[in-house]
Structure formats: structure tokens, C-alpha cells
Amino acid sequence: MAPRRLPTALLLLTLLTGCAGEEGREAPSAPGSVQAGTTPAPLSPSADPTDTAWVQLMIPMDTGAVALLDLAAHRALGPRLRSWAAGLRAAQASELAALRGLRDRMGLPGTDVHEGHDMPGMVTAHELAGARAAEGTAFDRLLVTLIHEHLEHSMRVSRSEIAAGGGAAAREQARALVTARGEQLAGLTALRDRDH
């Protein structure tokens, strides 16, 4: 049975101890995106446990968010929300490409070590099914709630990576992600304020 929502402290403890980790495409740029940049040299095959845990958590978090944002293109009722979601979807896809590139340079497997988990900030298969069934304002509310949680929690774990990660490349990517999340959360807040 998949674990239910873990408290943030437990999630961060998991990240910092590296127990979620195992050793060993560019997308178009968009506002608030994390760029993969030029192709750097491969990293050491013996990746830092904190870096490993962060990368292996962020990839499924972003993957779920992209799947949800794909739905928003056709299901979001509000035109401003639909437009904002399209921009965020492009940014998340770019970020995901950068994270996968980092994972590959770290020599980590492409398997999802969090498959089936229900963790803070991760859009689950169950939540995606609920989003597919929702319509109109119910979909919009669900989209905003899930995406806000994703942005907030991915920012938190990325701050932990910056503080405790061992690899410069992973910490640099985490810093870019935190900057992007600040902009994305500000955009979501402004959108909600305009709609109330």
C-alpha cells in the first residue's frame, strides 16, 4: 500500500539522509524555467546521497505536474488560468529535461524510485484521475490547489539540497529551481488575487 501524505519534516529527513536514493533533451525555454544549458562533462559515478535523493524526487514531482498541466490546456475554465498553466507547463518541461540530464550525468538509473508514492508536492495517479473527472470551476480549484502544493514543496526540498547537497551541479540546479519557484508562486498568487 502506498504511503499517504508524509509530513514535510519526514520528507526532508528522507532527502537529507539519502535513503530514497540509489547509486548508480532540451525543451524550449519559458519564463521561470530551469535551463539545461550546454552539455557538461559527466559527473562522478559515485553520486552524493543527498543529490541523488533530490534528483530522484524532483523528476517524478515535475512529471506529475506536467501531466496535470497538460489537462489544463483543455479543461481549465478560466482563460487567464489556462494561459498561466500553459506557460508553467513549458517551464516544468524544460526543468524536467535539465533534471534528467543531471540524473544521467550522475550515472543514476532512469527508474522512478517513488513510483506509487503519495508525497507532499507530488501529483499522483489518483489525483490525475480526479482532475480528469472534474469540470469547470471544480477543475480550476483542483488545479490551483495541486499546483500550489507542488511548487511550494519542490521549493522546500530544493532549499534542503542547496544547504546539504554535495555536488556543485546539483546545488546550482536547485538554486535555479528555487528562483523559478518564487516567480511561479508569485504568478499564481497574483492570478488568484485577480480572480477574487
Side-chain angles (χ1 to χ4, degrees):
M1 181 175 176
R4 287 305 302 155
R5 297 279 181 193
L6 299 176
T8 301
L10 179 56
L11 177 61
L12 295 179
L13 179 60
T14 300
L15 174 67
L16 294 175
T17 58
C19 62
E22 292 180 15
E23 304 283 324
R25 315 170 242 215
E26 291 279 333
S29 94
S33 65
V34 178
Q35 296 299 310
T38 58
T39 305
L43 303 175
S44 165
S46 177
D48 177 84
T50 301
D51 299 341
T52 297
W54 177 73
V55 168
Q56 290 182 324
L57 178 60
M58 284 306 309
I59 289 173
M61 286 180 79
D62 278 7
T63 299
V66 167
L68 177 62
L69 291 163
D70 281 341
L71 294 177
H74 306 290
R75 300 191 69 84
L77 182 64
R80 284 193 298 260
L81 178 60
R82 200 164 45 246
S83 175
W84 179 84
L88 181 61
R89 194 258 181 233
Q92 293 278 289
S94 177
E95 182 177 289
L96 191 51
L99 287 163
R100 287 176 174 153
L102 179 60
R103 176 199 63 197
D104 294 345
R105 293 194 312 278
M106 291 170 70
L108 300 173
T111 53
D112 180 0
V113 299
H114 293 288
E115 187 174 1
H117 294 180
D118 187 351
M119 304 170 74
M122 190 176 292
V123 179
T124 66
H126 177 73
E127 288 165 336
L128 281 173
R132 288 186 191 102
E135 296 181 5
T137 57
F139 176 85
D140 288 5
R141 282 193 302 270
L142 183 59
L143 172 67
V144 168
T145 298
L146 293 176
I147 287 299
H148 183 271
E149 183 176 304
H150 164 71
L151 296 174
E152 191 173 77
H153 284 283
S154 57
M155 177 186 273
R156 286 181 189 174
V157 296
S158 296
R159 284 178 175 152
S160 295
E161 162 60 25
I162 294 166
R171 288 196 315 272
E172 179 181 348
Q173 199 149 331
R175 278 191 288 272
L177 191 149
V178 167
T179 299
R181 288 296 183 272
E183 296 168 2
Q184 292 157 358
L185 282 164
L188 182 56
T189 298
L191 183 67
R192 287 193 300 192
D193 288 348
R194 278 197 302 268
D195 290 342
H196 286 95

